[in-house]
Structure formats: structure tokens, C-alpha cells
Amino acid sequence: GAVVSQHPSRVICKSGTSVKIECRSLDFQATTMFWYRQFPKKSLMLMATSNEGSKATYEQGVEKDKFLINHASLTLSTLTVTSAHPEDSSFYICSALTDRNGYTFGSGTRLTVV
Amino acid sequence: AQSVSQHNHHVILSEAASLELGCNYSYGGTVNLFWYVQYPGQHLQLLLKYFSGDPLVKGIKGFEAEFIKSKFSFNLRKPSVQWSDTAEYFCAVSLGSSNTGKLIFGQGTTLQVKP
């Protein structure tokens, strides 16, 4: 079946630095990927829709300059948290969408900003 | 705005008990409905989905769900839970007649099954 690889699984960074999270579709091409944020004991909140070759569509309230999304190829989307602060600490999950497989989720990235 | 509501935040059951997790959504148009499970430390996995047809959907691991359009509900059921069913369960909805839209998730339900 379809596999989405998300890397890194855990990252700790200093406040003010930037962190890049990668989401790769391993055995299929994904023109559309989604980025979610999951707070402890909370649901997944959709941050943005990433479309290959075009600008991402951000949900209301999500700062596009802070959460940079790049979907340069059919198998890779990246989320860069710029100038990270402790309140950005969270669990970030990507998902790829295909007609054949529906939604496939990555294993998530635990970001801790200290 | 569209939303998904899961009524039970934390459910504790003994093994062999029956399970029903509630899910309601607010949207008047065509929807596609999903239930996902997240085992501790693992990624989201699809339990079952409904696009059209028979409103009673059977999924993996003995789970099933019933779409009741008049109640805007898609409750998840399992006749007899096992300790290994301990996990976080999410109901999700995508809007539109085709599976091309973003997913809107419910708040999640933590299921704890006692051996």
C-alpha cells in the first residue's frame, strides 16, 4: 500500500531558529499533500494544503510566513517552521492524497522549541 | 463553518464489552466520512470509510460504522473490544462528492480497554 515517510520523527531546536520537516510519498506520486498540527489531547488541525508546483493554500489563522510549505516535486513536500518559538512546539503530521489510496498519513514529527 | 464533533472524549471499557463512539458533523451537502485510529506512537490508520451506497460500513479489525444522513451521524461500533484496541479514534469528514477535499477531524476519543 501507499507509504508516506515523514522526517525527522523528533526534533529539538532553539528559539529563533528554523526547522524543516520533510514528507515523502515513497511508492506513489502525490499532487496534493496536507499538513496538520496536533496538540496534546486535541484533534488534528489542518494548517495548509500543499499542491505540487503551486503555492500552498493556508487555513485561516495560520501564518504563511511562519510555516513555509514547499511542494517542489510529486513525491516531496516540506514544512519549514521559521523563527520557531516555544508555542510552536507541537506534533506535525503530513498526509498525501491520491485517487487510488485516498489519504495516507506520515508518522508525524514531534517539534520541541526550547 | 463545517465541524465534526465526537461526543466521547475518554472511554474506558473492559475486554469483550461493546463499543460505540459517536460522531456528528455539520454540513448540509455531500460528505465522505472516515474513522481513523492512532495507536500509541504510531501514525493514523484508516479503519473504514463511507462514500456512498450501503450506509452500514464494515472496516478492519471488526469495526463498523453506520451513516445516518438524517442525524448527520457516523457512529463507530465494535461488538467486543480487545485490549489491543486501546488507542485514539478520530472521526473525519471531507466535503464534496469526490475524494479530493481536505479532511476535517473531530476532537478524538481516547479508548482505554482494560484486560
Side-chain angles (χ1 to χ4, degrees):
Chain A
V3 177
V4 171
S5 174
Q6 190 171 340
H7 179 80
S9 58
R10 292 179 181 271
V11 58
I12 301 173
C13 70
K14 290 185 177 180
S15 186
T17 62
S18 295
V19 173
K20 180 185 284 188
I21 302 170
E22 293 187 348
C23 181
R24 293 181 184 273
S25 56
L26 295 186
D27 49 2
F28 64 100
Q29 294 181 331
T31 55
T32 303
M33 290 188 176
F34 302 93
W35 286 96
Y36 294 87
R37 181 172 178 176
Q38 186 178 28
F39 296 92
K41 305 295 184 184
K42 295 285 186 181
S43 178
L44 281 75
M45 182 194 78
L46 179 65
M47 298 174 66
T49 302
S50 170
N51 297 298
E52 186 269 334
S54 64
K55 291 183 178 180
T57 303
Y58 290 82
E59 295 299 303
Q60 191 173 8
V62 177
E63 299 177 60
K64 60 180 67 177
D65 294 330
K66 181 167 189 61
F67 299 99
L68 300 179
I69 291 173
N70 185 284
H71 195 157
S73 78
L74 287 171
T75 60
L76 174 64
S77 176
T78 61
L79 167 67
T80 301
V81 183
T82 63
S83 186
H85 288 95
E87 57 264 31
D88 299 324
S89 298
S90 193
F91 194 60
Y92 294 87
I93 302 174
C94 70
S95 171
L97 175 63
T98 63
D99 290 339
R100 179 178 180 182
N101 299 300
Y103 302 93
T104 303
F105 289 85
S107 53
T109 297
R110 173 74 60 193
L111 170 63
T112 303
V113 184
V114 297
Chain B
Q2 298 84 19
S3 65
V4 179
S5 176
Q6 291 181 239
H7 316 303
N8 321 96
H9 297 294
H10 196 164
V11 174
I12 302 175
L13 294 173
S14 298
E15 276 195 314
S18 63
L19 170 73
E20 180 160 2
L21 301 181
C23 173
N24 286 88
Y25 63 93
S26 62
Y27 182 67
T30 302
V31 294
N32 302 304
L33 300 154
F34 306 81
W35 273 98
Y36 287 90
V37 61
Q38 188 177 32
Y39 298 104
Q42 297 188 27
H43 61 273
L44 283 165
Q45 299 175 38
L46 180 67
L47 274 178
L48 47 80
K49 60 185 177 184
Y50 172 82
F51 286 177
S52 63
D54 189 344
L56 184 60
V57 181
K58 294 192 182 300
I60 61 172
K61 305 186 180 186
F63 287 91
E64 64 178 33
E66 185 175 12
F67 171 49
I68 303 179
K69 190 175 181 179
S70 60
K71 295 184 178 180
F72 298 90
S73 70
F74 190 55
N75 292 356
L76 180 71
R77 299 193 291 252
K78 185 171 184 178
S80 175
V81 295
Q82 300 172 319
W83 176 79
S84 57
D85 292 324
T86 295
E88 192 80 18
Y89 291 80
F90 294 95
C91 180
V93 173
S94 71
L95 309 178
S97 58
S98 61
N99 186 23
T100 57
K102 57 189 179 185
L103 278 177
I104 303 169
F105 283 86
Q107 306 94 315
T109 297
T110 302
L111 172 64
Q112 183 181 352
V113 180
K114 293 185 175 180

